[in-house]
């Protein structure tokens, strides 16, 4: 078993990483087909010149940035409140929203928006996508920030209040500065989740709010297109760096 | 003191209410109404959609979803256990090896699913490679079948199994296996009779964490199964697009939600705490 | 001198237990006052009630005659030195000490901070973060941070327990000297009777949420009113309903004849070498154990030897049967 275990682990790591590695290798293949012909950045060039892709990327970045910022603030406040004293209904709801199948979350949000739009002259668009993303990003922020708070010395805030700070000042001047790495870590995580979401987004997006995953999905379904390899590689690298940074911050 | 805490909870509570509870409530209302001709819903109120969930045709799809999710979970246990065991025994490199599992997991689900399309499709890497080696003449039908879907689910959710299993195994005293060996058990016996029973809580937690998203999966069956593999997720999506049967779609969604809630509840009861 | 702090019938009930029951105390200006007791006796609850971290179930807290119940912690003129010091990890020593002045602006703030840094021997350490300080330095920062605000009462929550045992005796002497120098009332919380006896003007002994005894260290040690008080303040032999401390118990081979002495015959069971002395454990005919503290050079006893334990009637501790 001593020799078998590392062997099995190596195999499973290969299973986890090889598909992405192969994708990256073939993203710099000059051929349109899955045969290696030579190094070329033509698919990256093609991707960077595709207007639809660029617009979708801008949309995705915008949505992820706004949703992440909102979720980071809201989730941090919630985590702080839950750390002080558990609120079982909130905790249970957050857990439940975390395991709700995306398709169910998506259609239920669609149903909500369409119902609201009966009374208001508003349509699906970036704002509905952002709202949806905020709602599913909060749980992740709460998990990360709450985990950090649980290692946090409870008496620091008491000391601040004892020295004359109000509750808010104690939070603002003592807890928040110490919590910042965890909040940034949570935000980076939320950003990657928001940026990558397809199922919920495709349900609540309007005609003018196509995101990168939606375009990617459409191209992927149409058939082989090496441009997708290039975009995928960029996404994996970009989000990978964010996740690594997030992990680093969580440990510090 | 209390006022600030309520103020801090307020935004999250409102969002959970407005963007989680109320939408599900609307589905509940829809599920009790009649389908409109062009989608949407209309009166009268009826329990018809709920009865249709029990139609053998749809129960078949539910059954198949359970089967696919079950097989995927089982494979995740088989692959996740040795991996978690390996990581838990790798000393100072633990964190590195663990992040090697988590890194691809967090990057992009869509890209990871696409990667398998790239490998498995008729003109994909595997078929092209086998053809150019002269091993096969016609491409093998690797994509758009049940096994492709299961492969995608395992690939997608394996980290959900590794993580809780790792934290259970890490807490185990390594002396336990030594003690078993010392008492005369062969390595395979101590694995089966000591390690496996003791890691049961981790396996259970991991199984639930993998099973739930597999059961409600939409993207994986859609991309890797093509149109040929209808699971609950696809069935729901169809009701809101092609079939235009919102009441029925709502009823299935809520039935799925109920299943998820039961499983979450079981896990919370066992562990005594929610996921947070 | 008036009372700086007064507790009247203070109680704190939690859903499952009573943490503090009807505590009344009057603490004088400039007093070094200790709250002593085992864990769970209510001493920490008392501190948290005075500081305002918890609200009492009933009773009143008066600071210089003013009721404190309605005041949140940041408006109370008491300050706390926490058990783990609770220094703000993201701030330097200087910023930690200045922290409270931000909310209590004062024209002479700068000077007070400098004075405090000097008094607490923190010169040259101003720019360090708490993580770079030793345990003793951390404690001095925590003290400086509170003293710079000139509180009416300084609450110290087991301030010595986080220190290295070798350092504790030295620091407690310093603490006593500091209190004399600044003249601020100290309320010192501890579970260590030796600490309380050595530094306090008065001690309140708490047990199971109630005040067991209040008095000077001498009162408590020499005239404990209950068996619990007697035992908590130091080792004691219980013989026929009264107590006698090992250091008041002597041994001899023959029954002493002088008047005013009480003696009991017994057999030496065990000898324990404690460095500066020995504890000799003897067992009487009716099975009672009596420990006597014997000087090293006087101890010629052996296990199994018949001896007489004796003491002066004057040293006997007589207290309530409870």
């Amino acid at each position: 078993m001593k020799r078998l275990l590392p062997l099995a682990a190596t195999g499973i790591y290969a299973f986890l990483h090889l598909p992405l590695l192969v994708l990256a290798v073939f993203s710099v293949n000059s051929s349109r087909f899955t045969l290696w012909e030579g190094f070329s950045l033509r698919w990256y060039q093609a991707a960077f010149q595709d207007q639809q892709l660029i617009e979708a990327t801008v949309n995705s970045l915008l949505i992820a940035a706004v949703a992440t910022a909102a979720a980071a603030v809201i989730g941090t406040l919630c985590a702080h409140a839950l750390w002080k004293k558990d609120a079982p209904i909130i905790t249970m709801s957050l857990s439940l929203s975390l395991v709700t199948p995306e398709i169910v979350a998506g259609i239920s949000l669609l149903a909500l928006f369409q119902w609201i739009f009966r009374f208001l002259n508003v349509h699906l668009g970036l704002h509905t996508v952002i709202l949806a993303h905020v709602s599913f990003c909060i749980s992740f922020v709460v998990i990360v920030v709450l985990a950090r708070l649980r290692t946090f010395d409870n008496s620091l805030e008491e000391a601040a209040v004892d020295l004359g700070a109000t509750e808010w000042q104690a939070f603002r001047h003592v807890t928040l500065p110490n919590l910042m790495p965890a909040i940034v870590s949570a935000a980076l995580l939320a950003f990657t989740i928001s940026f990558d979401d397809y199922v919920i987004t495709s349900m609540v997006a309007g005609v003018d709010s196509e995101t990168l995953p939606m375009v990617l999905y459409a191209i992927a379904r149409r058939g082989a297109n090496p441009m997708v390899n290039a975009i995928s590689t960029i996404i994996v690298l970009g989000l990978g760096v964010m996740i690594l940074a997030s992990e680093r911050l969580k440990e510090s | 003191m209390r006022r600030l805490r309520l103020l801090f909870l307020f935004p999250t509570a409102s969002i959970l209410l407005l963007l989680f509870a109320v939408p599900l409530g609307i589905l509940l209302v829809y599920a009790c109404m009649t389908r409109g001709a062009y989608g949407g819903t209309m009166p009268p109120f009826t329990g018809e959609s709920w009865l249709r969930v029990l139609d053998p045709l749809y129960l078949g799809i539910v059954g198949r979803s359970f089967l696919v999710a079950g097989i995927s979970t089982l494979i995740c246990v088989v692959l996740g256990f040795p991996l978690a065991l390996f990581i838990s025994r790798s000393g100072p490199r633990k964190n590195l090896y663990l992040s090697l599992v988590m890194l691809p997991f967090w990057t992009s689900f869509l890209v990871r699913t696409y990667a398998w399309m790239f490998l498995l499709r008729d003109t994909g890497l595997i078929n092209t490679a086998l053809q150019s080696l002269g091993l096969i003449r016609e491409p093998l039908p690797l994509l758009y079948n049940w096994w492709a879907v299961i492969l995608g689910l395992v690939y997608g959710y394996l980290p959900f199994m590794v993580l809780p299993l790792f934290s259970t195994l890490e807490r185990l005293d390594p002396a336990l296996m030594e003690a078993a060996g010392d008492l005369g058990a062969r390595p395979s016996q101590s694995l089966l009779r000591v390690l496996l029973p003791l890691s049961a809580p981790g396996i259970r937690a991991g199984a639930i964490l993998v099973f739930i998203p597999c059961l409600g999966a939409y993207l994986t069956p859609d991309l890797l199964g093509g149109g040929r593999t209808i699971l609950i997720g696809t069935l729901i999506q169809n009701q809101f697009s092609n079939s235009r049967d919102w009441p029925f779609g709502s009823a299935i969604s809520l039935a799925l939600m109920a299943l998820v809630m039961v499983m979450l509840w079981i896990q919370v009861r066992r562990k005594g705490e929610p996921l947070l | 001198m008036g009372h700086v702090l007064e507790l009247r019938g203070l109680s704190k009930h939690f859903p499952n237990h009573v943490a503090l029951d009807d505590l009344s105390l009057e603490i004088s200006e400039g007093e070094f006052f200790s709250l002593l007791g085992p864990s769970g006796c209510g001493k920490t609850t008392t501190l948290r009630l005075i500081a305002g971290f918890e609200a009492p179930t009933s009773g009143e807290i008066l600071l210089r005659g003013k009721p404190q119940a309605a005041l949140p912690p940041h408006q109370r003129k008491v300050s706390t030195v926490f058990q783990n010091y609770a220094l703000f990890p993201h701030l330097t020593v200087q910023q930690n000490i200045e922290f409270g002045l931000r909310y209590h602006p004062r024209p002479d703030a700068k000077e007070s901070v400098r004075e405090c840094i000097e008094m607490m021997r923190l010169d040259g350490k101003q720019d360090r973060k708490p993580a770079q300080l030793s345990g003793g330095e951390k404690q001095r920062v925590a003290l400086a941070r509170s003293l710079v605000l000139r509180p009416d009462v300084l609450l110290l929550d087991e301030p010595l327990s986080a220190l290295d045992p070798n350092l504790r005796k030295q620091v407690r002497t310093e603490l006593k000297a500091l209190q004399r120098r600044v003249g601020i009332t100290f309320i010192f919380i501890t579970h260590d009777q030796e600490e309380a006896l050595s530094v306090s003007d008065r001690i309140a002994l708490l047990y199971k949420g109630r005040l067991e005894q209040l008095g000077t260290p001498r009162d408590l040690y020499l005239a404990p009113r209950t068996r619990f008080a007697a035992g908590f303040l130091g080792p004691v032999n219980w013989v026929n309903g009264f107590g006698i401390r090992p250091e008041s118990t002597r041994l001899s081979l023959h029954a002493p004849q002088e008047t005013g002495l009480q003696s009991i015959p017994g057999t030496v069971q065990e000898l324990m070498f404690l460095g500066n002395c020995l504890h000799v454990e003897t067992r009487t005919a009716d099975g009672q154990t009596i420990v006597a503290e014997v000087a090293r050079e006087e101890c010629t006893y052996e296990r199994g030897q018949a001896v007489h334990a004796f003491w002066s009637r004057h040293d006997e501790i007589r207290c309530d049967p409870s």
Side-chain angles (χ1 to χ4, degrees):
Chain A
M1 207 171 77
K2 277 229 163 67
R3 249 173 288 158
L4 219 57
L5 200 57
L7 206 66
T10 311
I12 299 165
Y13 276 120
F15 168 66
L16 284 174
H17 289 267
L18 271 184
L20 293 175
L21 216 60
V22 166
L23 211 57
V25 167
F26 277 86
S27 73
V28 290
N29 183 12
S30 60
S31 167
R32 163 167 294 278
F33 304 101
T34 326
L35 277 171
W36 184 259
E37 268 184 6
F39 179 85
S40 158
L41 291 176
R42 63 182 280 214
W43 305 113
Y44 286 86
Q45 275 171 333
F48 280 115
Q49 278 158 6
D50 189 312
Q51 202 53 42
Q52 193 197 12
L53 268 176
I54 291 171
E55 273 171 31
T57 308
V58 170
N59 277 344
S60 281
L61 288 172
L62 185 72
I63 292 164
V66 176
T68 297
V73 172
I74 297 170
T76 300
L77 296 181
C78 177
H80 186 266
L82 290 178
W83 171 57
K84 286 272 157 120
K85 190 165 169 266
D86 187 28
I89 295 178
I90 303 269
T91 317
M92 277 306 291
S93 306
L94 285 172
S95 302
L96 192 58
S97 79
L98 210 57
V99 294
T100 297
E102 279 197 292
I103 188 77
V104 175
I107 60 120
S108 69
L109 282 167
L110 176 67
L112 171 83
F113 291 140
Q114 296 210 332
W115 182 74
I116 292 176
F117 295 163
R118 281 195 215 168
F119 311 105
L120 298 169
N121 186 23
V122 192
H123 300 282
L124 293 175
L126 281 179
H127 51 281
T128 46
V129 178
I130 289 173
L131 274 178
H133 282 217
V134 171
S135 79
F136 68 70
C137 283
I138 288 177
S139 305
F140 292 96
V141 175
V142 173
I143 288 179
V144 174
V145 176
L146 193 57
R148 174 69 187 91
L149 276 169
R150 286 196 172 130
T151 67
F152 198 65
D153 184 357
N154 190 20
S155 55
L156 288 184
E157 274 196 14
E158 282 185 351
V161 167
D162 191 67
L163 294 167
T166 61
E167 287 276 316
W168 166 255
Q169 287 166 332
F171 171 73
R172 175 70 193 77
H173 296 149
V174 173
T175 311
L176 208 54
N178 284 298
L179 212 52
M180 223 48 213
I183 297 171
V184 174
S185 163
L188 287 169
L189 185 65
F191 189 95
T192 66
I193 293 162
S194 164
F195 190 85
D196 182 49
D197 183 75
Y198 167 74
V199 179
I200 296 175
T201 310
S202 67
M203 289 284 183
V204 297
V207 278
D208 62 338
S209 51
E210 227 182 7
T211 64
L212 185 58
M214 287 168 73
V215 175
L216 219 54
Y217 173 88
I219 303 176
R221 284 213 77 173
R222 274 204 297 273
N225 183 343
M227 206 166 71
V228 180
N229 299 2
I231 308 163
S232 296
T233 306
I234 297 173
I235 294 178
V236 168
L237 287 179
L239 297 187
V241 167
M242 292 187 119
I243 290 301
L244 280 178
S246 168
E247 286 293 315
R248 269 289 140 74
L249 284 167
K250 222 189 299 179
E251 280 160 23
S252 71
Chain B
M1 209 172 226
R2 219 166 270 160
R3 224 175 300 156
L4 193 70
R5 187 174 162 268
L6 289 181
L7 205 66
F8 277 17
L9 280 178
F10 180 75
T12 302
S14 335
I15 284 173
L16 281 172
L17 182 70
L18 293 176
L19 296 177
F20 185 61
V22 168
L24 288 177
I26 292 175
L27 288 193
L28 188 62
V29 176
Y30 282 177
C32 301
M33 290 173 79
T34 311
R35 66 183 284 190
Y38 305 100
T41 55
M42 57 187 208
F45 284 88
T46 155
E48 200 191 317
S49 295
W50 292 103
L51 287 177
R52 277 184 62 203
V53 175
L54 300 174
D55 186 305
L57 174 67
Y58 300 120
L59 277 185
I61 292 177
V62 173
R64 219 178 305 147
S65 300
F66 266 84
L67 192 66
V68 167
I71 294 173
S72 307
T73 307
L74 203 66
I75 297 175
C76 279
V77 175
V78 171
L79 293 181
F81 190 81
L83 189 54
L85 190 62
F86 171 76
I87 298 173
S88 74
R89 289 181 179 183
S90 45
R93 298 228 188 99
K94 253 182 229 175
N95 285 336
L96 173 71
Y97 287 155
L98 202 60
S99 42
L100 276 178
V101 178
M102 298 314 293
L103 196 63
F105 176 67
W106 285 117
T107 44
S108 170
F109 194 86
L110 184 63
V111 167
R112 288 186 306 137
T113 310
Y114 168 75
W116 283 104
M117 294 179 79
F118 174 74
L119 290 173
L120 299 179
R121 66 168 43 131
D122 286 359
T123 59
L125 185 65
I126 294 174
N127 273 320
T128 312
L130 291 177
Q131 276 172 320
S132 60
L133 289 173
L135 291 173
I136 51 166
R137 194 165 289 162
E138 291 299 304
L140 299 169
L142 299 172
L143 196 62
Y144 304 135
N145 59 53
W146 290 108
W147 292 107
V149 174
I150 291 172
L151 179 70
L153 290 173
V154 169
Y155 188 65
Y157 298 115
L158 181 59
F160 272 160
M161 177 62 74
V162 175
L163 220 52
L165 246 178
F166 164 75
S167 56
T168 307
L169 286 171
E170 201 196 15
R171 279 196 296 264
L172 289 186
D173 187 352
L176 285 172
M177 286 291 276
E178 285 164 15
D182 193 56
L183 294 169
R186 271 182 281 119
S188 60
Q189 287 172 323
S190 41
L191 177 76
L192 220 61
R193 293 178 54 189
V194 178
L195 206 55
L196 216 51
L198 284 172
S199 46
I203 294 178
R204 209 160 38 220
I208 286 182
L209 286 179
V210 172
F211 191 82
I212 290 178
C214 285
L215 190 63
Y218 168 71
L219 195 63
T220 313
D222 190 54
L223 284 177
L224 300 182
R228 286 167 227 182
T229 53
I230 303 286
L231 296 179
I232 300 181
T234 325
L235 184 64
I236 293 173
Q237 203 270 345
N238 277 343
Q239 305 313 309
F240 287 85
S241 53
N242 306 340
S243 312
R244 295 174 187 241
D245 192 342
W246 289 26
F248 182 50
S250 303
I252 320 167
S253 297
L254 290 172
L256 178 60
M257 253 338 257
L259 285 172
V260 168
M261 281 165 87
V262 167
M263 280 181 271
L264 183 65
W265 185 71
I266 291 172
Q267 176 59 9
V268 170
R269 279 273 310 252
R270 291 254 175 159
K271 242 175 76 190
E273 59 187 75
L275 293 174
L276 293 184
Chain C
M1 277 196 292
H3 297 142
V4 62
L5 182 73
E6 207 178 314
L7 311 181
R8 285 193 195 149
L10 205 58
S11 294
K12 177 69 183 175
H13 296 196
F14 288 108
N16 306 326
H17 78 291
V18 177
L20 193 65
D21 190 19
D22 194 23
L23 177 69
S24 296
L25 287 175
E26 288 166 349
I27 295 163
S28 306
E29 191 74 60
E31 197 172 11
F32 199 124
F33 191 93
S34 289
L35 287 170
L36 173 68
S39 67
C41 72
K43 56 188 193 300
T44 300
T45 304
T46 309
L47 174 135
R48 295 180 63 81
L49 290 172
I50 298 171
F53 302 140
E54 315 253 3
T57 309
S58 62
E60 268 186 281
I61 299 165
L62 301 169
L63 191 66
R64 297 206 189 283
K66 274 176 286 179
Q68 302 288 302
L71 294 181
H74 67 275
Q75 288 172 4
R76 298 191 183 194
K77 284 208 74 181
V78 298
S79 196
T80 310
V81 173
F82 289 80
Q83 190 166 7
N84 55 3
Y85 313 132
L87 299 181
F88 306 123
H90 62 301
L91 301 180
T92 61
V93 167
Q94 174 98 19
Q95 289 166 329
N96 263 283
I97 296 171
E98 287 167 348
F99 189 88
L101 290 165
R102 186 172 180 174
Y103 311 105
H104 301 113
R106 234 175 34 214
D108 64 336
K110 261 204 176 132
E111 210 175 300
S112 307
V113 170
R114 221 193 42 240
E115 268 171 29
C116 267
I117 286 177
E118 205 171 298
M119 181 168 68
M120 298 321 294
R121 305 196 315 274
L122 290 165
D123 252 328
K125 309 253 161 74
Q126 289 98 320
D127 296 327
R128 294 206 188 165
K129 291 279 179 75
Q132 299 164 298
L133 299 177
S134 72
E137 287 166 347
K138 280 184 196 165
Q139 194 204 37
R140 298 208 297 275
V141 176
L143 280 164
R145 187 174 73 172
S146 288
L147 289 175
V148 79
L149 297 176
R150 298 174 191 151
D152 286 343
V153 170
L154 186 71
L155 305 166
L156 300 109
D157 186 7
E158 306 244 8
L160 304 177
S161 65
L163 293 179
D164 190 61
N166 297 325
L167 205 60
R168 275 183 213 163
K169 279 190 186 167
Q170 182 201 330
V171 172
R172 84 184 180 209
T173 316
E174 288 176 9
L175 215 54
K176 177 83 183 165
L178 176 71
Q179 192 262 343
R180 281 232 177 82
R181 188 167 161 196
V182 296
I184 290 175
T185 309
F186 276 27
I187 297 183
F188 181 83
I189 297 223
T190 179
H191 65 271
D192 185 321
Q193 91 287 353
E194 195 192 318
E195 253 170 50
L197 290 171
S198 61
V199 296
S200 314
D201 294 322
R202 280 195 304 156
I203 298 172
L205 178 66
L206 298 182
Y207 184 51
K208 290 183 177 169
R210 301 186 124 261
L211 180 63
E212 189 83 1
Q213 192 169 349
L214 175 68
T216 62
R218 191 167 281 272
D219 289 341
L220 256 73
Y221 191 79
L222 298 178
R225 274 211 293 271
T226 61
R227 273 192 170 221
F228 170 77
F232 194 79
L233 284 146
V236 57
N237 300 307
W238 294 105
V239 189
N240 304 329
F242 57 83
I244 185 73
R245 298 217 181 264
E247 72 266 21
S248 308
T249 311
R250 282 177 286 165
L251 294 180
S252 73
L253 294 174
H254 310 286
Q257 300 303 317
E258 295 102 297
T259 51
L261 290 185
Q262 173 76 31
S263 87
I264 293 185
T267 319
V268 174
Q269 287 286 311
E270 199 61 76
L271 294 139
M272 273 162 293
F273 181 70
L274 299 180
N276 56 345
C277 64
L278 283 98
H279 272 185
V280 180
E281 202 178 294
T282 58
R283 169 86 44 97
T284 63
D286 53 356
Q288 299 183 94
T289 300
I290 298 175
V291 177
E293 193 176 305
V294 180
R296 235 178 9 239
E297 55 276 14
E298 286 172 18
C299 189
T300 54
Y301 306 101
E302 284 168 20
R303 284 177 57 195
Q305 199 170 14
V307 292
H308 289 265
F310 69 98
W311 54 85
S312 159
R313 284 242 160 84
H314 183 73
D315 290 330
E316 284 173 6
I317 295 170
R318 295 184 181 275
C319 49
D320 305 339
S322 63

